[in-house]
Amino acid sequence: MGRTPAGAPNELARAIVDAIERERERSGVSTPALIRRTGISANYYYKRTRLEAPFNVNDLQTIADALGISPRVFLEPAVDAYERMRDAEGIRAPTEVLAERASKALALWSARHPGRDVQVAVTAAVDARTTRITPRQWARFLDGDAGTLTDDQIAAIATFFDVTPDYFRRAELGRVEDDLDAQIDIQLALVDTGALGLAARQLGAGDPSELRAIASAIRTAAIGREEQP
């Protein structure tokens, strides 16, 4: 892991911001109302929630007092998230890999549920199983950063998208996850050609590489038809 420049928010500081936002939302307090309660300037507060600078310990106590909770509520989940991230270094999916998998899962869900808001749906699904995810956590997940999500939150998101938690966790896909990824690829190819109604799983439980070859062939055939005069 690279060293964070002095003064810039590090991974723990980022996790603390997520914990603050989560507890603020859980308490039903708007950001402007929280700022008024704390006496912190709006510019100071927003600069830190935008991760341009970190909150200090005094800030945490002030914000906790304003919400009527203990600073422990911010620190413990933030430390847990940080430790999980450090433990997963070297085996977790790189940012670009996770972002691609999240993008594919979201694209397929959206194709199957046209007109529905995926963020609203996934937030409700996660909230029914474990701690609610914040908009910031969701945005980071889509950008390929799952470091601030709990194991239960990742599991709930995976269940929502009909994949395993390791599909969103690990760099190397296991046999089950590789098959799921290939199935998603072939179904997205059917989406691209307007043939999603064809159940991709009925094309055969073949080897993932074979399914991806079929997906590629579907897309190639579609491109060929579009290029015909």
Side-chain angles (χ1 to χ4, degrees):
M1 179 185 301
R3 185 179 180 83
T4 303
N10 56 25
E11 289 82 2
L12 181 57
R14 292 168 183 264
I16 285 173
V17 168
D18 285 325
I20 290 173
E21 287 295 285
R22 183 169 57 248
E23 292 305 317
R24 178 188 63 74
E25 291 185 352
R26 181 179 295 167
S27 299
V29 179
S30 69
T31 299
L34 178 58
I35 290 172
R36 287 194 297 271
R37 290 185 188 182
T38 61
I40 296 173
S41 77
N43 182 61
Y44 182 96
Y45 186 91
Y46 285 121
K47 185 175 182 179
R48 279 147 184 81
T49 57
R50 290 195 302 263
L51 300 175
E52 295 173 9
F55 284 110
N56 61 40
V57 175
N58 289 341
D59 297 331
L60 297 184
Q61 180 175 332
T62 299
I63 294 169
D65 288 346
L67 292 174
I69 58 178
S70 167
R72 181 193 305 272
V73 178
F74 301 146
L75 295 170
E76 288 186 346
V79 170
D80 288 346
Y82 171 75
E83 289 179 345
R84 283 196 307 275
M85 182 191 63
R86 291 299 300 266
D87 290 343
E89 279 295 324
I91 62 172
R92 63 175 180 164
T95 298
E96 62 276 10
V97 172
L98 175 55
E100 180 185 9
R101 292 176 190 168
S103 176
K104 291 197 298 186
L106 188 150
L108 184 57
W109 189 93
S110 297
R112 289 171 168 171
H113 305 86
R116 292 187 60 187
D117 186 319
V118 64
Q119 182 174 346
V120 171
V122 76
T123 299
V126 173
D127 192 36
R129 293 169 55 94
T130 182
T131 306
R132 177 186 294 269
I133 60 172
T134 66
R136 181 183 298 274
Q137 285 177 303
W138 175 244
R140 286 194 190 169
F141 173 73
L142 295 182
D143 286 339
D145 177 8
T148 62
L149 295 172
T150 67
D151 288 341
D152 286 343
Q153 286 173 322
I154 293 175
I157 292 171
T159 298
F160 177 83
F161 285 119
D162 199 23
V163 297
T164 69
D166 279 347
Y167 183 73
F168 292 135
R169 285 181 181 143
R170 301 185 66 87
E172 295 293 329
L173 294 176
R175 182 185 61 80
V176 172
E177 290 73 32
D178 195 34
D179 182 64
L180 285 169
D181 191 57
Q183 296 284 357
I184 290 172
D185 280 341
I186 200 167
Q187 290 180 75
L188 286 175
L190 294 171
V191 169
D192 291 343
T193 59
L196 183 59
L198 174 61
R201 295 182 188 277
Q202 293 178 0
L203 292 177
D207 181 84
S209 62
E210 295 174 351
L211 294 177
R212 291 190 179 97
I214 294 172
S216 177
I218 291 171
R219 289 193 172 98
T220 299
I223 292 172
R225 287 196 299 271
E226 290 174 359
E227 292 177 347
Q228 289 177 358

